């Protein structure tokens, strides 16, 4: 499904943040896709005759009218004009007769919107800019018009100017003018278009919008509620079109897709963190250890000792790196990490020394380590230990790359399928009861169906996750199409109230075909492709981590009389409740 | 923008509702677009080797495996199998050795899902079905497997079987299997894809999703509220991405589009009804009338007398048609309609006779009527009279067409732009104050800007509506890009609280380019193209008129403890309030 990705990616170069010059060059290159195609009648209903980015030597001598933002001005002679199509250099006339034009263009603040008319001329020899697609020409201006003046900006529209995240979000419309944001959003649009072309035009998929005002479903505690005008009746904003997808399959629309919005009002589940860990379990080696804290861990049912090996770590990792790794583990996972230097035990730790003496050779064999490697060892509850080491692996890679070691090729896309997940987990609060690992509609692995009635905790699911460069970018499953099986899992295994899902159970009874699907996390995928540090950099108007829109100040108070039609009123919390609720997870709408 | 429409439309023939045979034929034809293209590796990961709809004489002799729904079975010999790609005929083996296969295929209820393997063979001479794309071949089955059995259906999956709207919505997943719904949803998907290709690939537009959890804005009383986890703080679901569109223009994404969801929680405003009326005002002719009720009307400030002419109405309209027209006017508009037969006043009405004698010749001249025409005359408040006659015009066209008169070519798309709307209206409850005709961001007509400060009620707007075959399918406007002008209109003319829009006013100050746009009502457009009687027939999972999801029973009650995290509680209405609220507008989510 991702064959187009490398092609698309290869055709666009990422903007870098090095120098202004480079940024300009890349800005224009990043728009190359749209200028390659002839845009018909681009300006049929607007003042401009051309766009800033399209002018070439073939336009020499033409009279043109351009509109754009003032990107840059130098010595009151040169001005760079910007529109969605690119940049062009404009020459401000210096002769007395054009004084009014000069006044407009020299007095307009940066980022003002102007319209200029003039002639396309060659740049003087030696002044061409090969990094700008319009770098061989410039515009000799005759008339100019200020379309809208720009007040003093809260920050300069230059990517290398550092601004806080809060400032960026508050003035998002200015932040969007930056090279990197323009690149990210335009690439995202093109990626989605390619996906649509692939699914619709090549494979006959049908694009169908499913409702976002729906009914609360089991496990829907994370869904936003929307009061209706009927007293006490609420819609909910579904976390995903989960049920509608299945109903469409049952409805005979058997190749469906949607670019869907998902609403979640709290952080993702910890087991869905974008982590991918390759670790080695070394618990067996320590079964007879004399190190106390390791003994403790192994005596617990989920206790495990795990390690990762950092090749040539001794050469590249400094003492303060190791300190920061240990601090990270302590702060974020409340876990102890033990570094073991295989060659020279220069880590001043008696425990590490003891371990090396006791299990050194075994470790070297099992981890296939070399002399200069460093081993990071941790012990604890299985899931926690895995998560921590997965995170540390990425941290160490960052550290080594900062020291000049080439580990990961940013232009390389490495995909991986993760399969054979368990269908159920024991509930944390009551391990005798089971909860679903993903959701109750996932089909059991065909080879394990017999276990469902005897040892359900051993059943593997037909869930699959897709991982790109170490980050989970999607997941899906084969669904249950048999009404009886679905009823058994909901009612007997999970002890859910099946009444809430009666419409789905009924639908399965009316000729549901075997079916499955996958959902790709578009935000995260675009992040990986653009190299954006946060999904907020690939969304036009993101909410802050707390779920706030810093630009408009949403969510906001509503006068009680406007709540009346919805038959609700605010229950103001008491002081003690306020304290408690501040400890809750923050909300993540539309993640 | 609609050049592709006729081509798309020409390529697909609408399914008709006449006979089963025709329906099958059209069903297959309607899928012609997807089968024209070679679908690569269609079946690489599924049990089937081919789809039902793709088999042709070129496949003769091939061993194939197909999956599909049992559409039809005849004499336990023939079976028609259906999938998303089309239909194919399957021959059930009759020999003793294949008894188990026969048993499966003959006992499976209609609409069960089966998998069959067999050989593609020619149909015997004379048994070909030229209306089926697969009509020259059939499948000689060797093995069969029941993938999912179907319980007794609440209704037959045949378009000609009448079902109530409520039953259709309750079992929407079955209703979706019908030929017409499949056609509508697949055509919709293709239409949207063509729009995207036009905008993205040809014109460099950027597809951007804007948030649906936003802040309440002025005039936002029709927006759904969404309680957040912060006490007393609410998001709202915006009726349209109105402000975000403008912020994107300001953000330099100057060619933006989105297939956006709009949320409205009540009926559309009466002036936005999909009516288009061509009427003639004949008030002046009756200034001195002696007919009492006409005098009454004309004495009121908004009173008017209007008429439409039905060409050859005398020949085609029966007495009961006229009765039903008058009843319609009385029931839906509380208006009197007076039919005037120009040739023979065979309507037994002294008023009509009197009018004919008094104003007959004038009417004939003004309406340019012919002898056999019928004039429908109504009197009343201007807007109401216009709405009524517009509706009657369409009703009469339906009646005449039912009598065999060819009036409208269903394959013809007639577009019309409506311009020069007023920018403001006097408020109904207080005519001295003004309210916006559309929304407060619409720019005034450049020629009328000077009137803004003296006679604002006379200012025309730069709003435009697009009408297709008499129905409004879209509208848009040039927006205000000047912060001062926007502030003046909001604060001085409309007396709105500008604080709620401070983010937009501020954004306009930072180099907002002149900009405008248009929004097309996709549901209605698809309705017109498919000829669907209701927008519910072009939406996969529509809500009922009351905003209910009849399948899942949304909106639904929520236990009080689940409302706690949102700090709200239900205010149960008293009996008298319940009565009042039942008179309110019903809600229309996601219209």
């Amino acid at each position: 499904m991702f064959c187009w990705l490398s092609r698309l990616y290869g055709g666009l170069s990422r903007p870098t943040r090095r120098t202004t010059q480079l940024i300009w060059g890349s800005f224009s290159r990043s728009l190359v896709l749209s200028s390659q195609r002839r845009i018909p009648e681009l300006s049929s209903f607007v003042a401009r005759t051309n766009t800033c980015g399209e002018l070439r030597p073939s336009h020499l001598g033409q009279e043109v009218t351009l509109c754009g933002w003032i990107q840059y001005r130098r010595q009151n002679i040169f001005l760079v004009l910007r529109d969605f199509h690119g940049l062009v250099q404009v020459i401000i006339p210096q002769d007395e007769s054009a004084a009014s034009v000069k006044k407009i263009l020299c007095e307009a603040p940066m980022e003002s919107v102007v319209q200029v008319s003039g002639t396309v001329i060659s740049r003087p020899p030696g002044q061409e800019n090969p990094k700008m697609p319009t770098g061989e020409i410039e515009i000799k201006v005759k008339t100019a018009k200020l379309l809208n003046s720009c007040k003093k900006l809260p920050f300069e529209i230059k990517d290398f100017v550092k601004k806080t995240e809060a400032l960026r979000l508050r003035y998002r419309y200015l932040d969007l003018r930056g090279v990197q944001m323009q690149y990210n959003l335009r690439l995202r649009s093109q990626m989605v278009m390619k996906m649509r072309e692939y699914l619709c035009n090549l494979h006959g998929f049908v694009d169908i919008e499913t409702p976002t005002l729906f009914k609360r479903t089991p496990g829907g505690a994370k869904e936003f509620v929307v009061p209706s005008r009927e007293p006490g009746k609420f819609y909910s904003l579904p976390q995903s079109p989960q049920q509608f997808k299945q109903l469409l399959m049952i409805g005979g629309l058997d190749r469906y897709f949607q670019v869907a919005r998902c609403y979640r009002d709290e952080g993702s589940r910890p087991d869905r963190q974008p982590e991918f860990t390759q670790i080695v379990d070394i618990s067996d080696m320590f079964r007879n250890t004399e190190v106390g804290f390791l003994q403790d861990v192994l005596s617990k049912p989920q206790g495990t000792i795990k390690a990762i090996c950092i090749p040539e770590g001794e050469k590249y990792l400094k003492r303060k790196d190791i300190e920061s790794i240990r601090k990270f583990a302590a702060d974020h996972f409340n876990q102890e990490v033990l570094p073991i230097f295989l060659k020279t035990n220069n880590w001043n730790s008696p425990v590490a020394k003891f371990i090396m003496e006791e299990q050194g050779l075994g470790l070297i064999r099992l981890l296939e380590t070399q002399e200069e490697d460093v081993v990071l060892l941790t012990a604890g509850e299985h899931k926690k230990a895995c998560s921590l080491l997965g995170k540390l692996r990425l941290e160490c890679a960052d550290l080594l790359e900062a020291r000049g070691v080439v580990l990961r090729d940013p232009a390389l896309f490495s995909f991986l399928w993760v399969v054979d997940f368990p269908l159920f987990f024991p509930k944390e609060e009551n391990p005798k009861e089971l909860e679903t690992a993903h959701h109750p509609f996932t089909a059991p692995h065909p080879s394990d169906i017999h276990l469902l009635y005897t040892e359900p905790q051993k059943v593997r699911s037909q869930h699959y996750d897709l991982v790109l460069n170490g980050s989970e970018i999607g997941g899906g499953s084969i669904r249950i199409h048999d009404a009886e099986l679905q009823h058994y899992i909901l009612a007997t295994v999970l002890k859910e109230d099946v009444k809430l899902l009666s419409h789905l159970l009924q639908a399965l009874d009316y000729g549901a075909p075997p079916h499955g699907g996958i959902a790709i996390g578009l935000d995260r995928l675009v992040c990986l492709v653009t190299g954006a540090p946060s999904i907020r950099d690939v969304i036009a108007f993101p909410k802050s981590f707390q779920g706030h829109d810093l630009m408009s100040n949403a969510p906001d108070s509503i006068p009680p009389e406007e709540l009346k039609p919805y038959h609700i009123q605010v229950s103001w919390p008491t002081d003690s409740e306020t304290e408690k609720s501040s400890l809750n997870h923050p909300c993540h709408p539309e993640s």
Side-chain angles (χ1 to χ4, degrees), chain A:
Chain A
M1 192 184 279
F2 297 91
C3 51
W4 51 266
L5 196 62
S6 53
R7 231 179 39 233
L8 182 69
Y9 190 74
L12 294 173
S13 54
R14 294 187 211 205
T16 65
R17 292 164 189 271
R18 303 263 158 78
T19 72
T20 328
Q21 195 56 48
L22 252 179
I23 289 176
W24 287 11
S26 307
F27 180 80
S28 320
R29 277 206 304 283
S30 76
L31 299 178
V32 117
L33 267 198
S34 52
S35 65
Q36 275 172 345
R37 302 198 187 89
R38 175 81 200 117
I39 297 185
E41 295 172 48
L42 187 67
S43 309
S44 31
F45 294 105
V46 289
R48 60 186 164 203
T49 59
N50 295 78
T51 58
C52 296
E54 70 172 320
L55 296 175
R56 296 288 182 281
S58 61
H59 296 89
L60 283 176
Q62 286 187 17
E63 299 292 315
V64 296
T65 298
L66 307 173
C67 300
W69 285 271
I70 299 178
Q71 167 96 357
Y72 183 72
R73 185 167 45 215
R74 187 156 48 96
Q75 298 161 338
N76 282 350
I77 298 175
F78 302 103
L79 188 142
V80 173
L81 207 61
R82 182 191 75 228
D83 68 11
F84 78 101
H85 213 257
L87 301 164
V88 71
Q89 180 163 290
V90 160
I91 305 299
I92 303 170
Q94 303 296 321
D95 43 314
E96 202 51 51
S97 65
S100 66
V101 175
K102 184 175 181 182
K103 189 174 150 66
I104 289 171
L105 294 180
C106 292
E107 288 182 2
M110 288 297 104
E111 292 298 319
S112 294
V113 187
V114 293
Q115 178 184 321
V116 297
S117 295
T119 317
V120 183
I121 59 170
S122 275
R123 294 203 188 182
Q127 292 192 27
E128 299 91 352
N129 182 350
K131 285 178 184 150
M132 260 175 106
T134 64
E136 291 178 64
I137 59 97
E138 56 194 13
I139 311 296
K140 200 181 161 199
V141 171
K142 285 178 191 143
T143 62
K145 199 169 154 186
L146 178 66
L147 296 178
N148 210 359
S149 184
C150 182
K151 285 215 172 146
K152 184 160 168 33
L153 294 171
F155 52 80
E156 267 192 282
I157 314 285
K158 289 191 173 117
D159 283 20
F160 62 83
V161 173
K162 286 259 176 287
K163 345 160 233 235
T164 63
E165 181 86 4
L167 196 67
R168 287 182 59 197
L169 288 179
R170 187 165 158 212
Y171 296 98
R172 187 59 163 182
Y173 45 89
L174 295 177
D175 189 45
L176 290 179
R177 288 189 200 164
V179 176
Q180 190 70 47
M181 280 307 301
Q182 289 273 330
Y183 172 85
N184 291 354
L185 294 181
R186 286 167 195 274
L187 185 79
R188 180 186 178 126
S189 168
Q190 289 175 7
M191 277 175 65
V192 174
M193 192 63 194
K194 291 282 168 207
M195 288 177 174
R196 289 180 187 281
E197 283 171 353
Y198 181 86
L199 292 170
C200 266
N201 295 349
L202 271 179
H203 288 277
F205 277 73
V206 184
D207 181 4
I208 293 177
E209 284 179 88
T210 55
T212 52
L213 289 175
F214 194 49
K215 173 196 165 116
R216 223 165 156 80
T217 48
K222 287 156 213 134
E223 291 167 358
F224 283 101
V225 296
V226 182
S228 77
R229 289 187 181 239
E230 285 174 68
K233 295 285 174 91
F234 293 81
Y235 298 101
S236 88
L237 297 177
Q239 286 186 62
S240 82
Q242 196 150 272
Q243 293 182 41
F244 288 111
K245 291 191 276 205
Q246 291 197 260
L247 293 171
L248 285 171
M249 298 300 109
I250 297 166
L253 288 148
D254 50 0
R255 295 204 148 194
Y256 140 89
F257 83 100
Q258 182 180 196
V259 180
R261 250 168 231 268
C262 304
Y263 300 88
R264 266 184 222 151
D265 89 332
E266 60 164 33
S268 21
R269 289 158 59 177
D271 60 314
R272 301 298 297 273
Q273 285 292 315
E275 285 146 22
F276 164 60
T277 60
Q278 196 178 68
I279 42 168
V280 178
D281 192 324
I282 50 174
S283 308
D284 282 346
M285 202 180 292
F286 291 93
R287 287 274 168 243
N288 305 313
T289 187
E290 288 173 30
V291 180
F293 86 97
L294 297 179
Q295 275 181 340
D296 275 4
V297 164
L298 288 179
S299 67
K300 286 174 191 154
Q302 292 281 318
T304 189
I305 302 170
K306 301 222 160 211
I308 54 169
C309 169
I310 301 155
E312 297 188 88
E314 199 151 335
K315 208 156 117 195
Y316 297 106
L317 292 186
K318 300 186 178 147
R319 174 170 283 261
K320 76 166 175 10
D321 297 331
I322 300 289
E323 291 285 12
S324 82
I325 284 170
R326 287 168 61 96
K327 189 173 173 337
F328 177 86
D331 291 354
H332 290 81
F333 290 82
N334 195 23
Q335 285 268 113
E336 181 75 18
V337 170
L338 204 61
I340 302 172
F341 291 75
L342 297 178
K343 195 163 117 197
T344 55
N345 192 350
N346 67 1
W347 187 255
N348 206 354
S349 150
V351 177
K353 208 177 161 199
F354 188 77
I355 287 175
M356 260 318 279
E357 281 164 11
E358 207 181 32
Q359 278 91 9
L361 281 177
L363 267 180
I364 290 169
R365 207 176 43 244
L366 201 67
L367 293 166
E368 293 176 10
T369 54
Q370 304 292 321
E371 259 207 337
E372 295 201 317
D373 297 352
V374 169
V375 169
L376 295 180
L377 180 145
T378 194
E381 191 264 323
H382 179 266
K383 218 154 81 180
K384 212 161 144 190
C386 292
S387 294
L388 168 61
L389 286 182
K391 206 73 175 172
L392 288 188
R393 186 165 160 270
L394 294 172
E395 290 279 317
C396 291
D398 286 347
L399 280 169
L400 290 177
E401 280 182 346
R403 305 271 182 279
V405 186
V406 179
L407 287 177
R408 297 169 293 193
D409 178 354
L412 198 75
F413 292 109
S414 303
F415 290 95
L416 178 92
W417 286 105
V418 184
V419 294
D420 287 342
F421 287 87
L423 190 55
F424 309 108
F425 279 136
K427 280 189 184 167
E428 245 174 77
E429 63 279 16
N430 179 4
K432 276 186 192 155
E433 287 184 13
L434 294 177
E435 61 183 354
T436 57
H438 291 94
H439 57 65
F441 314 113
T442 310
H445 198 290
S447 330
D448 296 353
I449 283 194
H450 62 285
L451 295 171
L452 207 53
Y453 308 94
T454 52
E455 300 174 282
Q457 71 282 4
K458 287 196 179 161
V459 177
R460 285 168 302 162
S461 77
Q462 292 196 68
H463 179 95
Y464 30 82
D465 273 351
L466 183 58
V467 173
L468 170 56
N469 293 355
S471 285
E472 180 195 326
I473 54 159
S477 59
I478 299 300
R479 295 290 171 87
I480 297 167
H481 65 271
D482 183 284
E484 261 177 66
L485 179 62
Q486 183 69 74
H487 190 277
Y488 178 82
I489 287 181
L490 281 170
T492 311
V493 182
L494 299 171
K495 304 188 173 28
E496 295 269 12
D497 178 4
V498 290
K499 275 205 299 288
L500 283 169
L501 284 169
S502 59
H503 57 285
L504 184 70
L505 286 166
Q506 195 173 35
L508 292 178
D509 255 338
Y510 292 130
H515 60 281
I518 188 166
I520 305 289
L522 197 56
D523 295 334
R524 205 179 289 163
L525 178 61
V526 180
C527 260
L528 286 169
V529 173
T530 58
S534 150
I535 63 161
R536 286 193 287 281
D537 292 317
V538 298
I539 297 173
F541 298 102
K543 304 275 192 300
S544 74
F545 187 64
Q546 286 78 27
H548 287 188
D549 182 323
L550 300 182
M551 192 174 57
S552 71
N553 191 30
D556 205 356
S557 311
I558 289 187
E561 64 271 19
E562 289 192 24
L563 294 178
K564 258 196 182 162
Y566 302 106
H567 309 282
I568 55 168
Q569 61 189 62
V570 176
S571 330
W572 295 100
T574 60
D575 285 354
S576 66
E577 278 175 345
T578 312
E579 216 164 275
K580 231 194 297 165
S581 81
S582 71
L583 298 172
N584 280 348
H585 284 287
C587 57
H588 284 259
E590 295 176 70
S591 67

